[in-house]
Amino acid sequence: MEGTVALIEKELAVIDCGGVGYACHTSQNTCASIRMGEKTRLYTYLSIRENACDLYGFAQQEELNCFKLLLGVSGVGPKAALAILGIAPPSQLALSIITEDAKFLTQAPGIGKKIAQRICLELKDKLAKEQGSLPTGGGLVMTPKAAAAGAVDAVSEAVSALVVLGYSQAEALQAMEGIQTDGAVTSEQLIRTCLKKLAAQ
């Protein structure tokens, strides 16, 4: 959806598209990234229930992908998914799921320890079933010292996180090609670098 931002409230943005205003429930991150009166593009999701049709919109495709994944977890509804998306960018959320950092997810309002653990478990299991074992190292500039220092683990986590964000394994590995890695590299740094490369394509 493309249009002019007509209104911004807490977790809500109204986008004027040719004179018609579309109210989109959204995350705090998206609200912070758009400006009143400016043109913007939101990636949308329409939720249809018995008594309501709700539109959700996000400034990044990765954020929409995370939202849809979270909705697939039993016990997680749109409100809880938006709360989780409000605590960190998609790259950090994906990494917390891959590393099973349930404590990080409990920072979101209304998200307790049990539901956070369920999110990590269900989404990591889903990823494992869809992707199998993820190859790493191909096309990467990695020295033996870097590999010994744990860079391989960082690459594996980064590839898995990119898959959580909606990219295919092939796209994730292609984005990794040519990236200089060393023992000090973190998974999150790799994810951010890859997302920049993928966005530029």
Side-chain angles (χ1 to χ4, degrees):
M1 171 192 296
E2 292 187 5
T4 303
V5 181
L7 178 69
I8 303 174
E9 293 183 351
K10 183 181 179 181
E11 296 185 348
L12 180 73
V14 176
I15 309 299
D16 185 339
C17 301
V20 179
Y22 293 89
C24 296
H25 300 282
T26 189
S27 68
Q28 294 179 22
N29 288 331
T30 289
C31 284
S33 70
I34 59 179
R35 299 288 180 269
M36 284 286 295
E38 293 186 359
K39 287 191 174 182
T40 191
R41 171 186 292 177
L42 295 184
Y43 298 90
T44 58
Y45 174 87
L46 181 62
S47 173
I48 301 176
R49 295 175 293 171
E50 285 186 15
N51 57 351
C53 289
D54 294 317
L55 187 63
Y56 296 85
F58 304 94
Q60 300 177 354
Q61 179 70 56
E62 294 85 7
E63 198 171 18
L64 172 60
N65 292 339
C66 267
F67 179 74
K68 291 192 289 187
L69 275 173
L70 288 168
L71 290 183
V73 177
S74 56
V76 178
K79 186 176 180 180
L82 287 180
I84 293 170
L85 288 169
I87 64 173
S91 58
Q92 196 170 350
L93 290 175
L95 186 58
S96 70
I97 291 167
I98 295 303
T99 57
E100 298 184 70
D101 186 2
K103 186 177 179 180
F104 178 80
L105 298 178
T106 60
Q107 296 178 56
I111 303 300
K113 183 178 178 180
K114 286 186 177 180
I115 190 67
Q117 290 175 334
R118 186 186 306 155
I119 289 169
C120 292
L121 179 64
E122 289 191 19
L123 293 185
K124 193 168 185 181
D125 283 350
K126 181 179 179 181
L127 176 67
K129 288 176 183 176
E130 291 180 353
Q131 299 300 126
S133 59
L134 291 170
T136 59
L140 295 173
V141 183
M142 185 182 297
T143 64
K145 182 180 178 181
V152 170
D153 288 339
V155 169
S156 179
E157 288 179 352
V159 170
S160 297
L162 288 169
V163 173
V164 167
L165 293 174
Y167 295 98
S168 68
Q169 180 178 327
E171 288 173 325
L173 290 171
Q174 185 177 13
M176 287 284 174
E177 289 182 2
I179 295 178
Q180 179 72 48
T181 62
D182 56 40
V185 73
T186 66
S187 304
E188 190 170 354
Q189 289 170 335
L190 284 174
I191 296 167
R192 289 177 179 175
T193 300
C194 288
L195 287 175
K196 288 179 182 178
K197 288 178 67 176
L198 289 164
Q201 291 178 359

